[in-house]
Amino acid sequence: MTTLIPVLGDQLSSTLASLRGPAEAVVLMVEVFDEARYVKHHQKKIALIFSAMRHFAEELRDAGWTVDYVKLDDAGNTGSFTGEIERAVDRHGATAIRVVEPGEWRVLEMIDGWAPRFELPVELVPDDRFLCSRADFAEWAAARKRLIMEDFYREMRKRTGLLMAFGKPVGARWNLDADNRKVPPRGLNYPAPPAFAPDAITRDVLDLVARRFGAHFGDLEPFDFAVTRTQALVALDHFIAVALPRFGDYQDAIVEGQVFLYHAIIGRYMNCGLLVAREVVDAAAAAFDRGDAPLNAVEGFIRQIIGWREYVRGIYWHAGPGYKESNALGATRDLPDFYWTGDTDLRCIAQSVGQVREHAYNHHIQRLMVLGNFAMLIGVEPAQIEEWFLVVYADAYEWVELPNVHGMSQFADGGLLGSKPYAGGGAYIDRMSDHCGRCRYDVKQKTGPDACPFNALYWDFLARHRDLLKGNSRLWRMYDGWDRLGPDRQAATRASARAFMATLPGPARGWAVAE
Ligand SMILES: Cc1cc2nc3c(=O)[nH]c(=O)nc-3n(C[C@H](O)[C@H](O)[C@H](O)COP(=O)(O)OP(=O)(O)OC[C@H]3O[C@@H](n4cnc5c(N)ncnc54)[C@H](O)[C@@H]3O)c2cc1C
Ligand code: SF4
């Protein structure tokens, strides 16, 4: 009676529910070509996952598990999950399969096919590394007309007891976001995240990635990511001690030459399982209790994890596999090439693309208000910008990428996730960053060839989607502002937007060229 326990590349946690299982078991870990190639992931992301998998397999063996590990180049590797399960069932004479529920619909559908195909019982175990189970989210959602993140977050605060005292939020406010939009003064000392020198296992993986995936986007080296749990804990401790105290204040800022600011740089480790949510938020809460970090920083950080992270996962499963099909704004433009090359005069975009190529990382506001915002303003087809976001970030997995891009950033779901589109003009980027002073465009000019393109594009976006958006209570001020411009300035603004869009590479289809 041998149970096969497949551990997927984003399930690298020793506390994984399936590993609390039967003694007569073989853990199966496989590097499969299909997974590394279904989108052409950033080279650093593939290296992170394969190296972390190989290290995790060693740790499981040290803990006494029998681990069957199939490397990408091993003879006979079929290149697909299902093919590798089939071979392993035969190799080990497996009588059952026990697997933790996967992170995405595509893989769930694949696992659903295993029981009939192999004529074995397949036990799907809930992934309790998340703080809100799929069933609990479904129950929460069923009782509501609108799925508002802030409501969910408060529920999670009560449920976890984090930053709560006698049933009330510590500090008497649930959300201190208003305190977290400061512009950093010059000369702040930004802490670099810890760097980890590649060991022999990682070096082998880097060679493999260079050989097999060298044409994918992104710089493979230098590679200094954590690839073991011990290293990921060092990264977490470093964040808590050094960056968390200022995480809140400068959370939304963009500073040239500073990639990481006071961000945690742990999403990539949490999403593959090297860190789990509960230990991360407990560490932040403990820093607050010790007086090592202020409430605005700790509340802001905890909200990102027990609020946003759990909420987007809940939305992903709640919305179903068809979520990605909607296109509420009818966007059909091709993604400009400069999202890959960085070859554009738009300095905010060129700088963000340069960073992501090098580090497989941009922080939240670059993703939302620069890269996502621009794609929405020019009307990029949701599937194309979603694929880009899934490819370029080391922390990108569909369950978290899709709601953030399709819902929050592109409003392609028509408002299931966000109450309004996150659209902004150049003034927002100028306020939050120091890019504009060095840009070829003038952020103060509204129209014309030298004006910051975000300005006219922002108004053109609102004008184009007036029928859909004008009833939105959070946008009436913007439409009021647009109406007060008067017909001549409106026409000049829209002509300026059209002239800019005509310069974009790639054909525009549908409305993007229409009046
Ligand atoms: C368009 C867009 C796409 C995104 N794609 C991804 C993605 O593919 N994978 C991903 O993990 N995050 C994604 N995010 C959320 C967020 O930008 C990243 O989690 C964050 O930048 C990771 O960097 P960090 O670890 O330094 O996190 P910090 O900025 O320091 O935040 C701390 C942690 O909070 C969590 N978190 C914060 N915001 C979110 C959010 N909106 N959704 C989920 N978790 C959140 C993450 O676990 C993160 O590590 C996206 C956001 C946007 C706007
Ligand atoms: S001026 Fe406009 S395009 Fe240039 S950096 Fe500022 S927001 Fe970006």
Side-chain angles (χ1 to χ4, degrees):
M1 298 285 282
T2 299
T3 301
L4 195 65
I5 305 183
V7 170
L8 311 182
D10 58 356
Q11 298 182 343
L12 311 180
S13 316
S14 57
T15 53
L16 196 71
S18 58
L19 298 175
R20 292 171 223 145
E24 285 290 304
V26 173
V27 172
L28 176 71
M29 297 180 71
V30 291
E31 295 171 5
V32 284
F33 198 69
D34 283 1
E35 288 303 306
R37 276 296 293 269
Y38 83 95
V39 296
K40 292 186 171 181
H41 302 284
H42 194 298
Q43 297 185 54
K44 275 197 165 79
K45 179 182 179 188
I46 302 178
L48 165 66
I49 295 172
F50 283 178
S51 178
M53 284 173 67
R54 291 183 185 191
H55 282 94
F56 186 63
E58 291 298 315
E59 286 165 24
L60 289 179
R61 284 190 186 112
D62 290 347
W65 287 94
T66 303
V67 181
D68 181 0
Y69 192 100
V70 182
K71 290 185 178 170
L72 192 86
D73 280 346
D74 281 353
N77 185 336
T78 54
S80 81
F81 263 139
T82 301
E84 287 313 288
I85 298 288
E86 184 159 28
R87 290 200 317 136
V89 166
D90 286 349
R91 255 194 321 272
H92 302 288
T95 49
I97 298 175
R98 178 175 159 83
V99 62
V100 167
E101 61 189 7
E104 53 195 88
W105 284 106
R106 183 182 58 86
V107 183
L108 182 61
E109 279 158 17
M110 190 170 66
I111 292 175
D112 282 345
W114 290 351
R117 178 163 176 164
F118 306 130
E119 297 178 348
L120 292 178
V122 176
E123 185 190 359
L124 199 61
V125 188
D127 190 347
D128 57 12
R129 297 172 302 165
F130 289 91
L131 299 166
C132 179
S133 69
R134 286 175 55 188
D136 285 353
F137 190 91
E139 196 181 318
W140 176 81
R144 281 168 170 76
K145 272 210 191 105
R146 297 236 35 218
L147 306 180
I148 296 170
M149 200 300 283
E150 185 66 22
D151 297 344
F152 174 78
Y153 167 57
R154 292 182 188 189
E155 193 74 26
M156 290 298 286
R157 285 274 293 278
K158 289 183 208 154
R159 196 192 302 180
T160 58
L162 285 158
L163 299 180
M164 297 294 291
F166 308 107
K168 300 241 170 343
V170 169
R173 284 154 71 199
W174 289 101
N175 182 325
L176 280 75
D177 213 18
D179 303 350
N180 286 355
R181 292 176 194 139
K182 297 194 179 87
V183 175
R186 276 173 194 275
L188 274 187
N189 196 10
Y190 296 102
F196 303 92
D199 63 4
I201 293 179
T202 303
R203 285 252 60 98
D204 276 353
V205 167
L206 292 174
D207 290 346
L208 173 77
V209 174
R211 220 173 350 100
R212 300 292 299 274
F213 306 102
H216 284 204
F217 176 79
D219 300 345
L220 178 58
E221 303 220 36
F223 182 87
D224 61 6
F225 289 9
V227 290
T228 64
R229 170 154 172 82
T230 308
Q231 291 175 340
L233 284 171
V234 170
L236 173 63
D237 290 350
H238 177 270
F239 165 68
I240 298 284
V242 181
L244 176 63
R246 283 176 160 168
F247 169 84
D249 287 352
Y250 306 121
Q251 203 181 327
D252 288 359
I254 303 173
V255 180
E256 267 203 24
Q258 297 295 335
V259 180
F260 305 112
L261 295 109
Y262 296 102
H263 289 273
I265 329 298
I266 57 166
R268 58 181 68 153
Y269 307 134
M270 294 178 73
N271 294 351
C272 70
L274 295 180
L275 296 173
V276 293
R278 185 74 217 202
E279 69 188 341
V280 168
V281 288
D282 282 348
F288 174 70
D289 291 343
R290 290 193 305 272
D292 289 347
L295 186 59
N296 70 309
V298 175
E299 186 282 318
F301 179 72
I302 286 178
R303 175 162 25 91
Q304 307 306 321
I305 309 245
I306 68 168
W308 279 108
R309 187 170 189 268
E310 297 285 333
Y311 171 77
V312 298
R313 177 188 186 247
I315 292 279
Y316 175 79
W317 289 109
H318 173 78
Y323 181 55
K324 58 174 91 163
E325 307 302 332
S326 56
N327 187 353
L329 300 177
T332 53
R333 182 180 286 277
D334 284 337
L335 185 71
D337 268 359
F338 56 67
Y339 271 73
W340 302 108
T341 63
D343 187 12
T344 170
D345 286 339
L346 297 138
R347 190 167 179 93
C348 48
I349 293 196
Q351 293 277 317
S352 301
V353 171
Q355 287 178 6
V356 75
R357 187 191 303 125
E358 208 177 325
H359 300 282
Y361 182 82
N362 290 131
H363 72 63
H364 188 76
I365 293 299
Q366 292 172 301
R367 299 186 201 199
L368 186 64
M369 296 310 294
V370 177
L371 297 157
N373 180 23
F374 185 78
M376 180 174 69
L377 295 184
I378 63 168
V380 172
E381 183 179 28
Q384 295 193 40
I385 186 70
E386 283 152 26
E387 180 170 336
W388 184 85
F389 270 97
L390 194 55
V391 164
V392 301
Y393 294 110
D395 55 37
Y397 297 80
E398 193 184 73
W399 65 266
V400 55
E401 169 274 324
L402 189 67
N404 270 302
V405 182
H406 193 80
M408 189 185 324
S409 136
Q410 301 300 299
F411 205 69
D413 65 2
L416 175 71
L417 187 144
S419 54
K420 73 173 179 68
Y422 279 93
Y428 177 87
I429 297 173
D430 191 30
R431 194 163 59 249
M432 296 319 300
S433 83
D434 55 0
H435 287 317
C436 300
R438 303 166 201 195
C439 183
R440 156 234 178 296
Y441 293 109
D442 181 351
V443 73
K444 302 277 187 254
Q445 286 190 44
K446 308 293 178 216
T447 55
D450 295 327
C452 167
F454 277 87
N455 292 335
L457 288 173
Y458 170 73
W459 290 116
D460 188 62
F461 170 84
L462 286 180
R464 273 192 330 255
H465 297 297
R466 189 178 186 114
D467 286 349
L468 183 74
L469 300 176
K470 69 177 179 225
N472 187 313
S473 61
R474 298 186 64 195
L475 290 175
W476 73 265
R477 252 181 228 287
M478 285 62 181
Y479 280 106
D480 196 40
W482 172 245
D483 290 342
R484 276 191 281 108
L485 278 186
D488 290 350
R489 287 175 66 195
Q490 285 181 352
T493 303
R494 298 205 65 185
S496 195
R498 270 200 309 278
F500 175 78
M501 286 203 263
T503 68
L504 289 172
R509 290 168 280 133
W511 59 263
V513 284
E515 283 292 313

